[in-house]
């Protein structure tokens, strides 16, 4: 199956938070970008999101040819994808909407163009069911902010060609990302399933009056969150087992898994719980705007990434380890 790996033109279908992030990353890597979104005011919002993200991208370093001027917003889906080498769809998480979009994309795209979806949990075998040439269609699930966080989960459907999966991973690596191949089609993939478990427990703690939203965020950002930025759960727990490693950890702490600490099943989203979560989050925002906090977040992420990169170099580790 012939597909383009050395891409020059990137098409973004959908210009919300995730779509804008893809546009910013592609432009920062020196690509021409076509974008389409039928929502009123979508182009204005996209350009504002892009302007807000650009200072962080300048800090991490722009590729040759990177320019916001290489973005062109078009009026139709067909015009967006017709000449694109790589197409990234970031429409709302509605299966029927994605099926309809990919039916149109498949008819309008070049035969050698790779097609990817940013879905965070829908299964590609389903929403690519009506598209032409499903063998070239994959999922590339990113994480917000897309223009800074390197992780992208990549998986295919039943009719996706192995060559398309490999080509998509090559494209994402060229965009400075760390592709993670999801071996099976499972709802929520890998990362969001882990995040969902934490989110459910956090809602129970708020619902039961154990902690506020701010206190729960503090429990993460001053504890495991710092460690997670450079070392995942399994390796962290291996170190917690001392010289005997994971085997000792499992023997020492494994029995606690049988204790009823966690709830796992989500609490009922009552009006009272929603108000507690909204009120707590509003207090956390204080007088700062979302835009201000996005810039603070981006500054923190770029600083953490730079610190991790420097530490890896000092310890003889590759940047992608």
């Amino acid at each position: 199956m012939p597909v383009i790996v050395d891409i020059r033109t990137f098409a973004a279908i959908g210009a919300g938070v995730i779509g804008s992030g893809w546009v910013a990353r592609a432009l920062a890597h020196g690509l021409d970008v076509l974008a389409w979104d039928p929502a009123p005011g979508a182009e204005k919002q996209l350009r504002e999101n892009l302007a807000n993200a650009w200072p962080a991208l300048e800090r991490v370093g722009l590729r040759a040819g990177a320019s916001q001027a290489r973005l062109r917003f078009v009026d139709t889906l067909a015009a967006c994808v017709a000449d694109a080498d790589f197409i990234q769809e970031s429409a709302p998480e509605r299966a029927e909407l994605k099926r309809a979009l990919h039916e149109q994309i498949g008819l309008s795209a070049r035969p050698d163009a790779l097609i990817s979806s940013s879905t965070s949990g829908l299964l590609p075998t389903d929403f690519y069911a009506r598209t032409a040439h499903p063998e070239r269609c994959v999922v590339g699930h990113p994480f917000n902010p897309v223009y800074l966080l390197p992780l992208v989960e990549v998986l295919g459907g039943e009719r996706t060609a192995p060559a398309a999966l490999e080509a998509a991973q090559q494209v994402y690596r060229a965009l400075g990302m760390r592709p993670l191949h999801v071996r099976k089609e499972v709802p929520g993939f890998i990362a969001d399933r882990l995040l969902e478990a934490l989110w459910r427990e956090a809602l129970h703690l708020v619902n039961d009056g154990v902690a506020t939203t701010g206190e729960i965020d503090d429990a993460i950002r001053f504890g495991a969150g710092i460690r997670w930025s450079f070392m995942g759960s399994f390796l962290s727990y291996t170190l917690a087992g001392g010289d005997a490693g994971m085997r000792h950890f499992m023997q020492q702490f494994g029995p606690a898994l049988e204790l009823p600490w966690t709830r796992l099943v989500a609490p009922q989203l009552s009006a009272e719980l929603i108000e507690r979560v909204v009120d707590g989050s509003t207090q956390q925002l204080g007088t700062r705007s979302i835009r201000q906090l996005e810039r603070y977040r981006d500054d923190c992420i770029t600083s953490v990434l730079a610190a991790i990169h420097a530490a890896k170099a000092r310890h003889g580790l590759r940047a992608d380890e």
Side-chain angles (χ1 to χ4, degrees):
M1 183 196 68
V3 289
I4 291 178
V5 175
D6 182 20
I7 69 170
R8 291 175 172 79
T9 303
F10 185 102
I13 304 298
V17 171
I18 299 301
S20 296
W22 280 117
V23 168
R25 181 174 279 276
L27 289 171
H29 281 76
L31 299 182
D32 292 317
V33 177
L34 297 164
W36 173 78
D37 191 314
E43 181 179 4
K44 179 176 181 293
Q45 185 68 58
L46 170 59
R47 295 191 183 278
E48 288 176 356
N49 291 348
L50 181 58
N52 203 52
W54 206 253
L57 288 164
E58 290 177 324
R59 284 197 298 275
V60 298
L62 301 173
R63 295 287 180 87
S67 171
Q68 296 181 58
R70 298 181 73 167
L71 167 64
R72 185 159 64 92
F73 196 92
V74 296
D75 294 332
T76 66
L77 182 151
C80 188
V81 304
D83 296 319
D85 302 318
F86 190 91
I87 299 158
Q88 186 78 35
E89 168 268 308
S90 304
E93 289 285 275
R94 299 199 302 271
E96 184 50 43
L97 172 62
K98 287 187 184 291
R99 280 192 288 270
L101 280 174
H102 284 290
E103 186 173 14
Q104 297 177 57
I105 293 169
L107 294 173
S108 302
R110 294 204 320 258
D112 59 349
L114 276 168
I115 299 171
S116 185
S117 173
S118 300
T119 181
S120 59
L122 299 176
L123 301 183
T125 294
D126 178 23
F127 65 79
Y128 282 132
R130 301 201 304 255
T131 192
H133 305 295
E135 66 276 2
R136 57 157 171 191
C137 299
V138 304
V139 163
H141 171 226
F143 295 83
N144 188 41
V146 180
Y147 50 88
L148 292 181
L149 293 183
L151 182 63
V152 56
E153 294 180 310
V154 181
L155 68 151
E158 291 177 356
R159 294 187 288 171
T160 301
L165 283 171
E166 180 54 38
Q169 291 177 75
Q170 289 185 50
V171 168
Y172 289 133
R173 288 190 192 98
L175 290 173
M177 305 188 82
R178 176 69 182 267
L180 176 63
H181 180 206
V182 181
R183 298 168 185 269
K184 295 182 178 181
E185 283 189 277
V186 290
F189 315 142
I190 298 171
D192 274 356
R193 288 174 74 112
L194 299 173
L195 294 172
E196 179 73 9
L198 181 62
W199 177 237
R200 289 172 186 238
E201 291 304 313
L203 290 177
H204 274 295
L205 292 170
V206 173
N207 193 54
D208 296 345
V210 175
T212 65
T213 62
E215 291 164 347
I216 291 168
D217 279 358
D218 285 351
I220 296 168
R221 67 192 183 110
F222 293 120
I226 295 175
R227 190 171 64 203
W228 286 341
S229 68
F230 59 88
M231 187 177 289
S233 295
F234 282 97
L235 191 53
S236 295
Y237 288 155
T238 297
L239 299 188
D243 290 340
M246 179 59 82
R247 188 171 300 281
H248 176 69
F249 177 84
M250 294 295 285
Q251 292 170 346
Q252 185 76 10
F253 299 101
L257 295 174
E258 298 179 2
L259 300 176
W261 286 0
T262 55
R263 303 284 289 275
L264 291 182
V265 176
Q268 181 182 359
L269 285 180
S270 64
E272 181 182 4
L273 174 56
I274 291 172
E275 286 307 308
R276 282 191 191 180
V277 172
V278 171
D279 289 346
S281 301
T282 301
Q283 290 180 32
Q284 289 179 264
L285 284 172
T287 59
R288 294 159 297 198
S289 70
I290 293 293
R291 289 294 190 205
Q292 287 174 315
L293 282 176
E294 284 177 341
R295 290 191 292 272
Y296 165 72
R297 175 202 64 192
D298 292 355
D299 195 0
C300 287
I301 289 174
T302 56
S303 298
V304 168
L305 290 174
I308 292 172
H309 181 78
K312 284 182 174 180
R314 289 194 298 270
H315 289 270
L317 298 171
R318 299 192 316 272
D320 62 347
E321 285 187 279

